[in-house]
Structures are given as structure tokens and as C-alpha cells.
Amino acid sequence: MTDTQPPTPDLDTIQAAIAATPGTWWNDGHEIHVGEPGILAASQWIGDTCNVELPDYGEANAAAIVTAHNALPALLARVRHLEARAASLEAERDGWAETSRNEERIWAARVAELEQQLAKYVGVEPTVRQTHDEWLRCSGLHCPNAERYAKAEERGWLSAGMGQWLCPDCRTTPAPARDGR
């Protein structure tokens, strides 16, 4: 079973049909008029919905037709407003989607950059890395790098027990004990 939708009405055609009989529509029983409501002399007869088989002779049908016709200009304006709003929201959504794609490209580039930086260290021999780490944590008092070590320790960059390491410069010369002995 297929779900069929009624065709989308052409708003310009409806607007033209409304313009064909300008003015306010009103009903007098089952008769429909356009012009000044309640004044037959200032109105034009449009038609009627007389049906002798109905208890009200079609007066409810005439009232429905008049109400629908008089509401059409406001309904058309509302539909046009909503269509414009939908187009605006679609454009905004498309803008956000493009922004999202740009952000994705930026982050992908940053991840690639960081992966390249990481790749520099992946192939490094452990002994070179270990020597570098030891140099940063040197505890030799006579070491030319001691000032750098002291600043790192003062700022809390080194954890407890790491001060026992010597840099490559200090490995060759025995370092005096820290308590001066």
C-alpha cells in the first residue's frame, strides 16, 4: 500500500483565485455574498449551498466556505513566512555543517602534525631517551647542568627520588654528596 500525499498547492494560483473576488465574503443562510457584511445592496451574490435534504439547508456549508475563503490571505502569508523561515534555517544548517567540516579538517591536520612529532621519538633508541631523561634529572652538585635541575625541582617538575640520576657530564666524575661530605 502506498502512502499518497495530496499535491502541493500552488500558492500563486490560490492568490490569483482570491484576487478574482476581492473583498470580504459573508453568508446569509445558505447564500454567499462578497462586499459589506449584512448589506445586500453593497454586496454581490457569489453563490449558494442550498440543499433541502440538510436540516439547515446548507447554511453550515456556506459558513465553512466563507470562513475558509476569508482566512486564505492570512494562511497564504503564514505559509510564505514559514517557507522563508525553513529556507533560512536550511541555509544556517548548511553553514553549521560547513563549519563542522572545517573544524574536522583543522583537527585532522593537528592530529597528523602531532603524529609526525611522535614518529620522531618512536624510532629513537631507548638508551638515547634514557640518557636524555637522566640529563634532565641530574643531581650532581658540581654539574654544569645543576642550575637547570634546581629550577626544575623548585617548580615541582621532578618527583621524589629522581634526583639520584647524573647527567652524562657527571657520570665520569664522582659527585660529592649533597650534605657536603
Side-chain angles (χ1 to χ4, degrees):
M1 182 174 157
T2 60
D3 183 27
T4 58
Q5 295 284 334
T8 303
D10 178 27
L11 299 183
D12 293 330
T13 302
I14 296 171
Q15 190 74 42
I18 294 170
T21 54
T24 304
W25 284 25
W26 59 278
N27 69 301
D28 180 19
H30 55 82
E31 294 186 347
I32 302 171
H33 304 272
V34 62
E36 292 296 321
I39 304 174
L40 288 173
S43 299
Q44 179 183 356
W45 181 82
I46 299 290
D48 68 50
T49 59
C50 185
N51 185 342
V52 293
E53 295 177 7
L54 296 174
D56 65 351
Y57 295 98
E59 184 175 340
N61 292 339
I65 292 169
V66 166
T67 301
H69 183 274
N70 289 336
L72 279 175
L75 292 172
L76 287 174
R78 181 68 177 155
V79 167
R80 291 181 197 269
H81 168 76
L82 292 174
E83 286 178 342
R85 180 71 176 133
S88 170
L89 290 173
E90 286 175 5
E92 186 177 339
R93 180 204 60 208
D94 292 345
W96 281 106
E98 183 61 28
T99 299
S100 176
R101 285 188 292 274
N102 288 339
E103 287 289 325
E104 184 178 342
R105 285 190 286 269
I106 289 168
W107 282 109
R110 179 65 176 141
V111 165
E113 178 186 337
L114 291 173
E115 285 175 345
Q116 285 178 349
Q117 290 176 6
L118 178 63
K120 292 178 188 176
Y121 296 103
V122 169
V124 175
E125 293 294 322
T127 56
V128 174
R129 240 183 286 145
Q130 182 180 0
T131 302
H132 177 72
D133 292 345
E134 289 172 358
W135 178 79
L136 288 176
R137 297 179 292 212
C138 180
S139 60
L141 292 177
H142 69 290
C143 178
N145 302 310
E147 182 181 326
R148 189 177 282 172
Y149 169 78
K151 285 182 182 175
E153 187 173 40
E154 178 182 297
R155 293 181 180 155
W157 295 347
L158 303 177
S159 61
M162 296 180 89
Q164 62 202 16
W165 296 94
L166 300 177
C167 70
D169 295 334
C170 296
R171 283 190 196 158
T172 57
T173 310
R178 283 202 174 242
D179 59 6
R181 292 189 230 157

